[in-house]
Amino acid sequence: RLDRPPEFSRSLRRAMRTKPFRVTVDQAFARVVDSCADREEGTWITTELSAGFRELHALGWAHSVEVWNTESGDLVGGIYGLAVGSMFAGESMFHRETDASKVALCA
């Protein structure tokens, strides 16, 4: 149902409560895009697409949500996409620690 907040799994709620994560918005847009593109199996995120999203970010349309490990200070997960009105359409996400991308999506 769209008229109530989403229900997260018990394990994700626990991770959000207990893991050493800090969430920010638009603090490391380029790093999130680059991390989403950094995949061993290859990526559909071309140099041109990345440049386009960076331009959209500069114009205020594209945004990122970053998840940081508070103990190490490392960027460990994130999502980027477009915001139009009250809608956010996530383009891609990544994680380097378990549940970090899910935390970004939930945030």
Side-chain angles (χ1 to χ4, degrees):
R1 292 181 39 180
L2 297 175
D3 60 341
R4 65 179 185 188
E7 296 178 16
F8 304 124
S9 70
R10 182 177 305 154
S11 62
L12 181 56
R13 287 194 313 264
R14 185 175 340 125
M16 293 171 73
R17 205 175 47 251
T18 62
K19 291 197 175 185
F21 292 147
R22 177 175 62 93
V23 176
T24 59
V25 175
D26 287 339
Q27 298 300 304
F29 183 84
R31 287 180 63 189
V32 171
V33 173
D34 291 345
S35 295
C36 288
D38 183 23
R39 299 173 190 230
E40 283 184 20
E41 67 276 4
T43 183
W44 52 270
I45 303 172
T46 64
T47 303
E48 294 82 10
L49 183 76
S50 178
F53 265 95
R54 290 171 207 260
E55 189 170 332
L56 288 168
H57 177 67
L59 294 170
W61 291 94
H63 301 279
S64 62
V65 178
E66 306 90 16
V67 178
W68 307 86
N69 180 307
T70 56
E71 294 171 351
S72 67
D74 294 334
L75 178 64
V76 295
I79 184 172
Y80 78 93
L82 295 176
V84 179
S86 61
M87 181 204 69
F88 178 78
E91 186 70 19
S92 186
M93 52 196 233
F94 82 99
H95 73 279
R96 293 195 180 110
E97 290 187 13
T98 303
D99 295 326
S101 60
K102 294 176 194 170
V103 169
L105 180 62
C106 292

